[in-house]
Amino acid sequence: MNQQNAAMIEAPADPAELFDTLYRMGLTDGMPVIPPTDDLVQRFIAASGRPGSDEIAVIPPANHLATVTGIAVNAVMAGCLPEYMPVLIAVVEALVEPQFNLFGVATTTNPVGPLILVNGPVRQQLDLNCGRNALGPGRRANATIGRAIRLIMLNIGGAIPEEADKATLGQPGKYTMCLGEAEEESPWVPLHVERGFEPEDSTVTVVGVQDIGNMFVCFQQAESILRTLASGMVSFAANNMLLGEGNPILFLNPGHADLLAKQGYDKPRIREELFRRATFPASELPQEVSAVEQNSRNIIDGRNMVTARAEDILIAVAGGPEAYHNSYCATFGNMAVTKKIRLP
């Protein structure tokens, strides 16, 4: 949907019939949507603090222009609340930064999708889940912010499955992937402060992740914790490990974060340890010529590293308090982008 050419339609009274109509028009992600009536769209525009005509970004691969109005239409359909609009606008601005490579993300055979991590006071204002089940069901903000971004990619950006989006199998995270960092439960500075923002700033960080892998770490000592985490990060089937680029992200639960901090580990030291341990001999790679040329930037002393530099590994605290399960997201090979949320 190039919103400049979008047409007003008469909405059927029957919700099921309306869903069928929008589905046939190719305007959904396959799930039911809220009708974007003019009244609702205007409420969302007002909540953004910007005119509906404001031009936010050109969205690949179709390179259609996303205005505040176009973002509002998709936010309504996704089930958002109006107050989510500043977050959505910041995410769209982040997605189109060159280092994120949205064209590649939207069209590749890789199952990559944008993971959205929110930091700062806006998390409480929007009731965004940062704790137990933060990447699962149950919280409106998490579910619908991520879904709205996918609808924007579909309806404005033209990332239509099979036509432009060539993902071989895809992944459930392509419907929605959004959470907040549990800053209050973390012994360290939050991710957005590490990336140059003030603690009182509200930000979004977008990461192009190809999967979400669980790590069951049933240990209490730092040596055992880090050894187990590193083992879960090693795979030469992951883009970042093969190509030497990208920002893989590790989500530590508050329990393990506390244990590591009490044993003298801050995030830079954890990154260095993981970088040193999450490797395999380059000689283990198949020697045949492949369809993808490996980047030698992350081969050090004959070993394949998880990425080219230790500082490329992102670490955030999220999830329930028990020191058991952590999550690691390998990446497509593009770089993460953080943007400040412009609140009205």
Side-chain angles (χ1 to χ4, degrees):
M1 176 187 70
N2 179 350
Q3 73 244 18
Q4 279 69 37
N5 300 321
M8 298 292 289
I9 64 169
E10 190 69 31
D14 180 8
E17 186 181 347
L18 172 65
F19 172 48
D20 286 341
T21 299
L22 294 174
Y23 179 72
R24 287 196 303 272
M25 293 176 69
L27 299 178
T28 81
D29 53 6
M31 296 189 290
V33 296
I34 304 295
T37 62
D38 185 62
D39 176 62
L40 272 175
V41 171
Q42 291 303 319
R43 285 169 52 192
F44 276 63
I45 293 171
S48 76
R50 301 184 181 199
S53 59
D54 263 14
E55 299 178 356
I56 304 303
V58 173
I59 311 292
N63 292 327
H64 289 154
L65 176 64
T67 63
V68 170
T69 296
I71 293 171
V73 167
N74 287 280
V76 171
M77 290 199 295
C80 291
L81 291 175
E83 51 264 39
Y84 302 169
M85 279 292 291
V87 176
L88 293 172
I89 290 171
V91 174
V92 170
E93 291 172 335
L95 290 178
V96 297
E97 289 290 340
Q99 62 266 42
F100 189 76
N101 184 19
L102 183 57
F103 181 89
V105 169
T107 60
T108 179
T109 54
N110 188 286
V112 58
L115 180 145
I116 302 160
L117 179 65
V118 183
N119 280 101
V122 76
R123 295 167 303 126
Q124 288 88 2
Q125 296 165 18
L126 302 185
D127 190 33
L128 197 76
N129 190 1
C130 310
R132 196 183 304 281
N133 216 35
L135 277 173
R139 203 72 68 87
R140 183 173 186 172
N142 299 58
T144 63
I145 289 172
R147 187 188 182 199
I149 293 302
R150 175 54 55 180
L151 288 176
I152 289 165
M153 292 174 65
L154 289 167
N155 293 332
I156 302 178
I160 310 300
E162 297 183 60
E163 295 180 17
D165 180 349
K166 300 296 185 181
T168 302
L169 189 60
Q171 57 155 315
K174 291 183 73 159
Y175 281 100
T176 180
M177 271 191 292
C178 176
L179 76 164
E181 183 169 8
E183 298 176 20
E184 295 76 15
E185 310 302 321
S186 174
W188 310 302
V189 298
L191 183 72
H192 71 305
V193 175
E194 288 188 288
R195 292 174 70 82
F197 294 87
E198 298 299 324
E200 62 271 18
D201 289 337
S202 289
T203 68
V204 294
T205 299
V206 292
V207 189
V209 304
Q210 67 175 37
D211 56 24
I212 302 171
N214 185 67
M215 295 175 165
F216 179 39
V217 185
C218 50
F219 304 106
Q220 302 284 304
Q221 297 303 310
E223 166 67 24
S224 304
I225 295 168
L226 293 168
R227 182 177 177 183
T228 307
L229 291 173
S231 74
M233 296 168 65
V234 177
S235 170
F236 57 71
N239 276 30
N240 54 268
M241 200 153 201
L242 185 67
L243 304 178
E245 297 176 338
N247 292 122
I249 184 166
L250 171 66
F251 290 104
L252 285 173
N253 64 65
H256 276 129
D258 183 63
L259 286 169
L260 289 168
K262 287 178 176 175
Q263 294 175 56
Y265 286 83
D266 58 11
K267 285 204 271 188
R269 187 180 177 191
I270 293 171
R271 272 191 283 269
E272 290 290 345
E273 285 293 320
L274 294 175
F275 184 73
R276 181 175 65 84
R277 296 165 183 264
T279 73
F280 60 85
S283 60
E284 290 185 6
L285 278 169
Q287 297 304 300
E288 68 170 285
V289 177
S290 74
V292 177
E293 184 178 352
Q294 186 187 8
N295 192 327
S296 60
R297 291 172 64 242
N298 67 323
I299 298 178
I300 300 175
D301 295 331
R303 300 192 67 83
N304 256 71
M305 318 302 283
V306 70
T307 190
R309 306 176 304 168
E311 55 264 39
D312 289 340
I313 302 169
L314 304 181
I315 298 174
V317 176
E322 297 87 359
Y324 287 120
H325 297 280
N326 303 278
S327 291
Y328 173 69
C329 301
T331 71
F332 175 57
N334 54 333
M335 304 305 288
V337 176
T338 302
K339 288 281 185 179
K340 185 175 178 178
I341 299 168
R342 177 179 151 186
L343 299 169

